[in-house]
Amino acid sequence: MRDYLLTLCVTAAVTYLLTGPVRKFAIATGAMPEIRARDVHREPTPRLGGIAMFFGLCAGLLVADHLQNLNSVFELSNEPRALLSGAALIWIIGVLDDKFEIDALIKLGGQMIAAGVMVVQGLTILWIPVPGVGTVSLTSWQGTLLTVALVVISINAVNFVDGLDGLAAGMVCLAAAAFFLYAYRIWFSYGIEAAAPATLFTAILMGMCLGFLPHNMHPARIFMGDSGSMLIGLVLSAAAISVTGQVDPDALKIFFEGSTRQATHAALPVFIPLLLPLTIIAIPVADLVLAIVRRTWNGQSPFAADRGHLHHRLLQIGHSHSRAVLIMYFWSALIAFGVVGYSVNSASMWIVMVIVALSTLGLVLLLLPRFTPRAPRWAEAFVPPRYRRRKKVAQPLSPRANGTSGPDALDADETPVTGEVSEEPAPLPVGVNGATAMGARSRISDHRKAVSRR
């Protein structure tokens, strides 16, 4: 575990330290596209954050290669080299897209080629467990097609969800943490060395995301761009493919008694992340599927950009930017860690009860914009300003209320000020928070000019 933690820390440190210079490089090269209609941010922000993440990946692999307990991963398996080859190819395509906006079909072709490069070097799916049937071995072309499909889906799912500051990096980091626990359990508890590459990949992926997040949290100073989102999507899919393709199913079945079919049923909770690795990134995949259905239903291309993603809808119903990101974090962590927890012990009822309780809490969080709770007076210092009660401000009495007259008195059509204390909050200008964050900027300066002319 210490070697994995060291690799994670080195990857995070390299990514964090390089992100600042990469930001300056992106500004100098003009990698700051104009704000599009679907964007949420208000000012042009540099991209190319994937450059720092890729060098973090290289640093993590280099350090792991020189560690005694992890060196066997490079000696006994060609998967780290396959990952680095595919990552380099997809990273180059992403950098070109961040700078020159290449066509979507060209990017799709590049993603398939990157997946093919990994398949050629041995990183492929060899078998899948099927309930009621047992372990099904795949032919060469079946494994290749399934591997390419998984890589392409994972890359585009992460790319589609990269719409808010810190959203993609945080969600992938949570998914990688859950998958790390699962792969480490297979490697350490069962003694299966074939799970070591997947454990290493997820540790490095967590380091890449953690090192980039401080620069990408709202308000973001730099975006990862397609060079980063496609890269972390490929690394996450490579970890799932590594476990599914290299772990011997017989090594897991020896812990169960009975026939092959009974052993498969008994081991099904352990096989869940292997059979359905997309459950680890269920939220991005759901967003991807909904986007494709929505666009094709409206007669648009599946690659046409819009503002109908899940994070856009959270803003539309009234959530602030930070709250929308945290809600997406919550659901990603619940699904990822819930699946891993169920795979460890499906007979324990308390795991199901905890998942149900947390799901209920998530639904309550989604309804928060429907009402605005007010914290008690003693807790106002510990909550955001929007949950604090408005202070009572006594307004001065009008001249007429004081019995005065003359030029300083109010006109007949003006509303007198009675000096009453009002608890009603003042209306917020458009663009301050919540659903209004997507609207136009408020024209406070124009309003003041209009008042001065009266």
Side-chain angles (χ1 to χ4, degrees):
M1 177 64 75
R2 289 180 298 178
D3 293 335
Y4 288 116
L5 291 178
L6 177 60
T7 304
L8 186 153
C9 293
V10 170
T11 305
V14 172
T15 304
Y16 176 79
L17 294 176
L18 288 180
T19 303
V22 167
R23 179 178 181 273
K24 296 180 180 179
F25 171 77
I27 296 175
T29 57
M32 297 177 59
E34 297 181 357
I35 299 178
R36 299 161 295 187
R38 68 178 187 272
D39 291 334
V40 178
H41 60 282
R42 297 296 184 86
E43 298 178 357
T45 306
R47 295 184 181 181
L48 296 178
I51 296 179
M53 304 178 78
F54 177 74
F55 283 104
L57 169 66
C58 296
L61 292 175
L62 182 62
V63 170
D65 190 20
H66 288 80
L67 294 177
Q68 183 178 0
N69 295 331
L70 298 181
N71 180 260
S72 59
V73 176
F74 297 83
E75 294 179 350
L76 303 178
S77 173
N78 197 42
E79 295 181 23
R81 299 177 183 85
L83 171 64
L84 186 58
S85 302
L89 181 58
I90 204 70
W91 173 70
I92 293 175
I93 296 174
V95 170
L96 293 177
D97 181 67
D98 290 340
K99 183 63 176 71
F100 302 106
E101 295 283 349
I102 63 178
D103 186 73
L105 293 179
I106 296 178
K107 288 194 297 183
L108 179 62
Q111 295 167 7
M112 298 175 66
I113 294 175
V117 168
M118 294 193 300
V119 170
V120 170
Q121 300 190 51
L123 189 57
T124 182
I125 298 176
L126 303 177
W127 58 272
I128 56 173
V130 179
V133 178
T135 302
V136 177
S137 299
L138 301 178
T139 62
S140 177
W141 68 270
Q142 289 175 340
T144 300
L145 290 179
L146 188 58
T147 302
V148 172
L150 179 59
V151 171
V152 172
I153 291 175
S154 300
I155 290 175
N156 287 282
V158 176
N159 191 22
F160 275 37
V161 83
D162 184 24
L164 296 179
D165 297 347
L167 182 58
M171 291 180 64
V172 172
C173 185
L174 292 171
F179 209 91
F180 173 82
L181 295 177
Y182 172 76
Y184 184 80
R185 175 174 176 264
I186 294 180
W187 174 74
F188 184 77
S189 300
Y190 291 167
I192 302 176
E193 292 292 338
T199 311
L200 176 62
F201 295 165
T202 51
I204 293 176
L205 181 58
M206 282 191 290
M208 296 165 59
C209 296
L210 290 176
F212 184 72
L213 267 176
H215 300 273
N216 191 234
M217 294 302 292
H218 183 70
R221 302 180 70 246
I222 185 174
F223 294 152
M224 67 172 65
D226 284 2
S227 59
S229 61
M230 293 196 299
L231 176 63
I232 60 178
L234 180 136
V235 177
L236 184 61
S237 62
I241 293 169
S242 176
V243 173
T244 310
Q246 302 300 325
V247 174
D248 186 5
D250 294 332
L252 294 175
K253 288 182 181 179
I254 61 176
F255 297 98
F256 305 95
E257 299 179 356
S259 62
T260 302
R261 179 172 296 184
Q262 293 174 345
T264 302
H265 281 293
L268 183 59
V270 180
F271 287 155
I272 286 179
L274 305 182
L275 180 61
L276 299 174
L278 293 180
T279 57
I280 300 296
I281 51 173
I283 299 298
V285 171
D287 193 17
L288 171 64
V289 173
L290 291 175
I292 293 176
V293 173
R294 179 179 64 253
R295 293 168 184 174
T296 54
W297 182 267
N298 295 330
Q300 300 175 346
S301 169
F303 303 100
D306 58 14
R307 299 191 68 168
H309 293 290
L310 296 178
H311 49 273
H312 289 143
R313 295 184 181 275
L314 288 176
L315 294 178
Q316 290 173 1
I317 65 176
H319 290 288
S320 65
H321 190 292
S322 300
R323 188 193 292 172
V325 172
L326 292 177
I327 288 176
M328 297 286 282
Y329 284 177
F330 174 84
W331 284 106
S332 297
L334 177 61
I335 295 175
F337 287 96
V339 170
V340 173
Y342 182 76
S343 68
V344 174
N345 187 8
S346 61
S348 182
M349 192 63 187
W350 70 268
I351 295 179
V352 179
M353 297 302 297
V354 169
I355 294 176
V356 172
L358 291 177
S359 300
T360 305
L361 176 61
L363 294 177
V364 172
L365 293 176
L366 289 175
L367 297 176
L368 278 180
R370 303 304 179 186
F371 61 93
T372 305
R374 299 299 181 189
R377 297 290 185 185
W378 58 269
E380 288 185 350
F382 306 99
V383 297
R386 59 179 174 272
Y387 297 128
R388 301 173 187 171
R389 298 178 183 274
R390 303 293 179 182
K391 294 183 179 180
K392 298 181 179 181
V393 180
Q395 300 179 0
L397 294 175
S398 65
R400 287 182 178 176
N402 292 330
T404 61
S405 60
D408 294 333
L410 294 175
D411 295 333
D413 57 344
E414 293 184 1
T415 304
V417 181
T418 61
E420 296 179 355
V421 178
S422 175
E423 285 280 353
E424 294 295 329
L428 297 177
V430 177
V432 172
N433 204 352
T436 59
M438 299 178 63
R441 291 184 180 270
S442 60
R443 299 292 185 263
I444 299 179
S445 58
D446 296 340
H447 174 70
R448 291 175 178 172
K449 292 180 182 179
V451 172
S452 63
R453 296 192 189 101
R454 292 179 182 176

